[in-house]
Amino acid sequence: MDFPRLTPPDDRMPSGSSLFRSPAELTDEQFDLLAAAWAEGALSGESLEELESAMAASADRRDRAGSFCSIRLVPCDESWPGMRSAIRLSPVQRTLRRSVIPTLLAVAAMVSMIIYGPTVLKLKTINSGKTITRSAMTVAEIQVPPPIVAPEKKPATHTPSAQVAQTPVAEENALPGLLAEKNAMQNLPAEENVLRGHFAEVNALQGHPAEESALQGHFAEANTPQGYPAAEIQNSDEITGFVRVQPLALARGYASVPSVAPEIIPAITSINIMDIQPAQTLQEEKNWIIRTISFLASAVAGEEKEIDGYIIANGCINGIKNALGWDMELDLVSNKSGEPVAVTFRSSLLSFIKPLNKTTP
Amino acid sequence: MTVKEFNNAVREFGDHVYRFILRSIKDSHRADDIVQDTYEKLWNCVTEIEYGAVKSWLFTTAYNRMIDVIRKDSRLVDVDHYDDSTLYADENSSDLNEVLHRALEKLPAVQRSVILLRDYEGYSYREIGEITGLSEAQVKTYIFRGRVALRNYLVKTSVWQ
């Protein structure tokens, strides 16, 4: 069965020719997209010909298309901060790094400890007691000790040298004070006769009344090399009053003043606590490490170099930073007058501030 | 790929990938994290990837990771609804490259990425398409549109009269 078919009529659009466009009729947006593609080198064939004809038709468009050629991004110099941590180490490198780094850090920590460590390690204290005027010393302040029983713990057989050999620095510091105190008391007028009697009693009980001069000489000998003024001990005439033993010396643990003269203690407890002054410190010479480093730095630089703890610690930090590429900073914080007050340490893992110890009185 | 080749890939392409990600998201910490993650993934399959294909693999993985991060942050700008008016700011600078980078920040993420891959790394349209998962025609369109937007930015900011 044959179905009828429709045949298209030969109709023509009357104004069809008006729809045709030339390249010069491209809008700016269309031209820009073509120009961008042309600047990329992505145009070819008819597209390229049409754009070239459009550019030829207008100098303005030629310049416009040319401007796309200069729109190119140039990479900046950013670098990836985590690159070093992404690199995988060989077993040998890993072992080396695990052993060398802790060693370097331990050395740096040790140097820091030596330099910034407690002042107890660096300084030596002296007993600088408060001088008490005679007017302040009254009979009422001095308590008569209770009746003393002959000591069983302290036989009179010990020699001064043996005693000194067993007593550490604190005890040595304490004894001159007690002896000076006693000497001063012997110069008191009649109203302090009670004291004299008391000391005579004490000496008799200790069994070595004449040993104090030997002890004094021994202590002078022991203290002089450490910077103690021997004259303060030996020349008791220059001492105007009692020399008070400082609590710092007694608090050292192995001070044993009672083992030397336990019965004297009640006689010296009458000193007002407000009269006690803190122990003075002596500015000690720089230790041998800093001296050595200063000498080496001076030799290398050819001029006098002042080396301090911060410079050494900063050198260690910089060395580790340069060698291993770690992000670490050590800065010195100063106050308004320019005196260093603290050291700050910053790294990606740890940051802290360490106040500096005041080493001068 | 050997460990030595892996380390070479870190040294050779680490900065490139980081730069691409940093310029795409403008966040150095996130960029660092993304590149770290990328290399971690590479290390996990280090024996399966040939060194010759590692650069493309790195950019592809980093790009996909970046898209995940952007989507998580809901900062992805839909290209179809992108408004050209956000481009124009009253900024003056004599350094063309600096102005271009500022203008780049205002482009949609996809346009930005394809232009960066094209200009920074010199990838072809096909390679960019492989990295970004786009067709070659899409890559071309994004790049051309991006160029036009950058040029318009320069004109509007009076860098080009």
Side-chain angles (χ1 to χ4, degrees):
Chain A
M1 191 171 173
D2 207 12
F3 291 102
R5 290 176 178 266
L6 292 174
T7 305
D10 191 20
D11 298 331
R12 299 278 178 177
M13 190 173 74
S15 58
S17 59
S18 63
L19 295 176
F20 292 118
R21 294 287 185 268
S22 68
E25 291 178 282
L26 288 169
T27 64
D28 285 345
E29 288 76 18
Q30 292 165 337
F31 179 83
D32 284 345
L33 280 174
L34 280 175
W38 170 75
E40 287 272 326
L43 283 184
S44 60
E46 288 184 353
S47 301
L48 182 59
E49 288 174 10
E50 286 174 0
L51 182 74
E52 285 174 347
S53 64
M55 288 191 294
S58 168
D60 184 40
R61 286 201 159 176
R62 193 167 49 246
D63 295 339
R64 190 183 181 105
S67 66
F68 279 96
C69 296
S70 57
I71 299 177
R72 289 288 181 277
L73 294 166
V74 179
C76 300
D77 56 354
E78 293 114 344
S79 55
W80 179 32
M83 179 183 290
R84 188 173 287 270
S85 63
I87 291 176
R88 305 288 164 164
L89 299 173
S90 66
V92 175
Q93 288 174 315
R94 195 180 304 122
T95 306
L96 190 66
R97 184 168 287 193
R98 281 181 182 172
S99 60
V100 169
I101 291 174
T103 306
L104 288 174
L105 288 176
V107 169
M110 244 169 63
V111 171
S112 300
M113 285 286 290
I114 292 169
I115 295 164
Y116 295 110
T119 52
V120 171
L121 297 175
K122 300 167 68 180
L123 301 174
K124 196 173 286 294
T125 57
I126 61 167
N127 293 323
S128 59
K130 170 80 174 177
T131 301
I132 302 171
T133 60
R134 291 176 61 184
S135 61
M137 182 72 101
T138 61
V139 175
E141 288 176 328
I142 300 173
Q143 299 172 356
V144 177
I148 300 170
V149 180
E152 296 177 359
K153 301 176 186 174
K154 290 287 174 187
T157 54
H158 71 281
T159 63
S161 58
Q163 175 69 29
V164 170
Q166 292 172 358
T167 54
V169 176
E171 190 170 348
E172 294 171 4
N173 293 338
L175 279 174
L178 293 172
L179 293 172
E181 187 176 26
K182 180 188 170 188
N183 289 334
M185 290 173 71
Q186 287 173 349
N187 294 329
L188 294 176
E191 64 184 70
E192 281 89 29
N193 283 341
V194 176
L195 287 175
R196 286 183 184 165
H198 174 67
F199 271 106
E201 190 178 350
V202 169
N203 287 333
L205 288 171
Q206 286 181 333
H208 47 90
E211 287 177 358
E212 56 184 321
S213 60
L215 273 175
Q216 285 180 3
H218 181 80
F219 287 134
E221 185 182 356
N223 288 334
T224 303
Q226 299 174 7
Y228 286 69
E232 183 182 332
I233 302 166
Q234 290 178 330
N235 191 3
S236 59
D237 292 337
E238 293 177 9
I239 301 175
T240 57
F242 295 97
V243 176
R244 182 75 168 122
V245 178
Q246 291 299 303
L248 180 60
L250 293 173
R252 280 191 145 178
Y254 43 79
S256 56
V257 172
S259 67
V260 179
E263 294 78 9
I264 298 178
I265 291 178
I268 63 172
T269 53
S270 59
I271 295 175
N272 189 344
I273 195 168
M274 297 301 291
D275 295 334
I276 300 173
Q277 292 181 342
Q280 292 180 356
T281 57
L282 289 176
Q283 182 67 40
E284 201 176 51
E285 194 183 0
K286 289 177 179 175
N287 62 36
W288 64 271
I289 296 175
I290 296 193
R291 282 203 310 272
T292 306
I293 296 173
S294 295
F295 172 76
L296 291 174
S298 302
V300 171
E303 58 184 19
E304 192 67 24
K305 282 277 183 184
E306 186 66 27
I307 300 294
D308 59 10
Y310 168 72
I311 292 175
I312 297 170
N314 196 30
C316 292
I317 295 294
N318 285 335
I320 295 171
K321 183 179 168 184
N322 293 332
L324 305 175
W326 292 0
D327 186 18
M328 305 162 76
E329 292 279 347
L330 187 72
D331 292 325
L332 195 63
V333 180
S334 301
N335 58 15
K336 288 180 180 175
S337 58
E339 296 172 354
V341 292
V343 174
T344 63
F345 175 79
R346 289 190 301 275
S347 72
S348 55
L349 294 177
L350 179 67
S351 295
F352 62 83
I353 297 177
K354 169 77 171 69
L356 292 178
N357 292 327
K358 300 221 172 196
T359 55
T360 53
Chain B
M1 192 164 62
T2 62
V3 174
K4 188 178 178 183
E5 286 173 334
F6 174 86
N7 288 335
N8 281 342
V10 172
R11 291 190 193 94
E12 197 172 344
F13 307 126
D15 284 344
H16 292 248
V17 178
Y18 174 75
R19 209 172 287 152
F20 165 60
I21 300 296
L22 176 65
R23 288 294 170 182
S24 295
I25 62 172
K26 291 302 292 179
D27 186 331
S28 58
H29 293 294
R30 284 178 187 272
D32 187 22
D33 288 344
I34 289 169
V35 181
Q36 292 277 5
D37 287 350
T38 303
Y39 274 98
E40 195 60 38
K41 281 185 182 176
L42 177 63
W43 178 251
N44 289 337
C45 52
V46 67
T47 54
E48 302 163 19
I49 298 173
E50 292 297 321
Y51 184 70
V54 74
K55 185 181 179 185
S56 176
W57 188 95
L58 284 170
F59 275 94
T60 304
T61 308
Y63 176 80
N64 291 331
R65 180 81 185 104
M66 180 187 71
I67 294 296
D68 289 344
V69 170
I70 291 174
R71 281 182 181 150
K72 199 177 285 184
D73 289 354
S74 304
R75 289 193 296 173
L76 187 63
V77 180
D78 189 349
V79 177
D80 295 335
H81 298 94
Y82 174 65
D83 183 7
D84 268 356
S85 64
T86 60
L87 275 176
Y88 311 127
D90 185 18
E91 299 175 64
N92 292 313
S93 175
S94 56
D95 188 345
L96 178 62
N97 196 42
E98 186 184 330
V99 179
L100 276 174
H101 278 93
R102 268 208 306 274
L104 187 75
E105 294 170 22
K106 302 178 189 307
L107 292 180
V110 182
Q111 278 187 20
R112 195 161 56 223
S113 297
V114 294
I115 288 178
L116 283 171
L117 289 170
R118 179 74 174 166
D119 283 359
Y120 277 18
E121 306 302 326
Y123 277 126
S124 67
Y125 301 125
R126 185 182 55 79
E127 289 170 325
I128 294 172
E130 287 172 357
I131 290 171
T132 58
L134 300 170
S135 69
E136 197 171 327
Q138 284 176 306
V139 171
K140 284 182 182 178
T141 302
Y142 284 138
I143 288 178
F144 300 157
R145 284 185 186 177
R147 299 266 189 233
V148 173
L150 292 177
R151 183 192 174 278
N152 290 341
Y153 180 89
L154 295 178
V155 171
K156 294 288 181 181
T157 53
S158 305
V159 176
W160 281 351
Q161 297 299 328

